[in-house]
Amino acid sequence: MPLLIFKSPWSSSGRGVFVGDWCDERARTRLQGFLSSQGGFVTDRFYADKVLDFAMEFFIGEDHTVEFLGYSVFHAAESGAYGYNYVESQQELLQRIGADEALLQRLIDYHKEHLSQMAYHGPVGIDMLKTADGCIHPCIEINLRMNMGILALLLHERYGSGATVALTPEREHGFWALVDEGKLMIQFHP
């Protein structure tokens, strides 16, 4: 039986996501919990050959105009749990993605066209992945909310690629940052 990835409808940062198969009793128990608490679950094939997680970040205006904010590249555990984002320039992120830029532009145009038809305005992140053979899965998940990819874009805009280094000296200005077990931790002080 091939492995699948299961996700509860209301989850974030990989919570409510797990890898399993239909025959696994623990998986069936968790899925029953998703059905009881959230009324359903989502399933997709498990991409064992995944080499990269990335996203396209957008903003939908009240007038349905869609702005492409940029790419984000992040690390997610095999289980789907969010790990961290790279805080780098768009050019550096494109190098990490390593895909044909014309293909990526077609995906941006496609997503912009469909996002403009939504009855929603605000930030949107569309998670994608790249497999070992270079194929792009163009939509793993759509996040209709502020997300860590957009935060990484804002951090790079303000502090550059060395964001974690640049944030730390700001301690006397009301906040400080450190990396703890691969996670960027920011603490604000009034």
Side-chain angles (χ1 to χ4, degrees):
M1 174 88 33
L3 288 177
L4 298 168
I5 191 156
F6 299 98
K7 181 178 184 301
S8 64
W10 300 104
S11 67
S12 69
S13 300
R15 292 178 200 88
V17 178
F18 70 94
V19 176
D21 68 57
W22 294 112
C23 297
D24 180 9
E25 184 62 35
R26 285 186 16 214
R28 289 200 312 255
T29 300
R30 285 191 74 181
L31 294 174
Q32 188 61 46
F34 290 170
L35 288 170
S36 297
S37 65
Q38 298 188 23
F41 57 87
V42 177
T43 186
D44 195 358
R45 86 172 247 233
F46 175 68
Y47 293 89
D49 58 344
K50 175 186 81 167
V51 295
L52 183 76
D53 290 295
F54 71 103
M56 290 181 177
E57 309 295 347
F58 299 90
F59 187 85
I60 304 173
E62 290 184 38
D63 61 353
H64 299 282
T65 57
V66 180
E67 176 185 1
F68 173 65
L69 301 176
Y71 299 99
S72 65
V73 177
F74 61 96
H75 173 77
E78 187 174 288
S79 66
Y82 171 80
Y84 55 86
N85 268 80
Y86 292 94
V87 179
E88 297 176 327
S89 70
Q90 288 298 291
Q91 195 57 42
E92 290 169 308
L93 295 175
L94 277 168
Q95 287 175 351
R96 281 190 188 278
I97 295 167
D100 178 58
E101 289 189 45
L103 167 65
L104 294 175
Q105 187 58 55
R106 287 197 312 272
L107 286 173
I108 291 167
D109 295 341
Y110 175 86
H111 288 309
K112 284 176 75 171
E113 177 185 337
H114 288 84
L115 290 171
S116 70
Q117 299 169 29
M118 295 181 65
Y120 166 82
H121 68 275
V124 178
I126 300 179
D127 292 349
M128 305 177 184
L129 63 79
K130 180 180 174 183
T131 55
D133 61 3
C135 290
I136 303 293
H137 190 305
C139 184
I140 295 293
E141 179 176 43
I142 300 174
N143 295 297
L144 302 175
R145 59 179 166 76
M146 184 64 166
N147 61 68
M148 294 303 288
I150 295 173
L151 177 59
L153 292 173
L154 295 171
L155 284 171
H156 183 270
E157 182 180 304
R158 174 122 189 222
Y159 297 103
S161 294
T164 56
V165 175
L167 281 172
T168 304
E170 296 289 326
R171 182 175 295 128
E172 66 273 7
H173 293 79
F175 63 93
W176 59 274
L178 59 98
V179 177
D180 182 25
E181 295 181 15
K183 297 178 183 173
L184 175 63
M185 310 294 285
I186 301 173
Q187 184 173 353
F188 292 90
H189 300 283

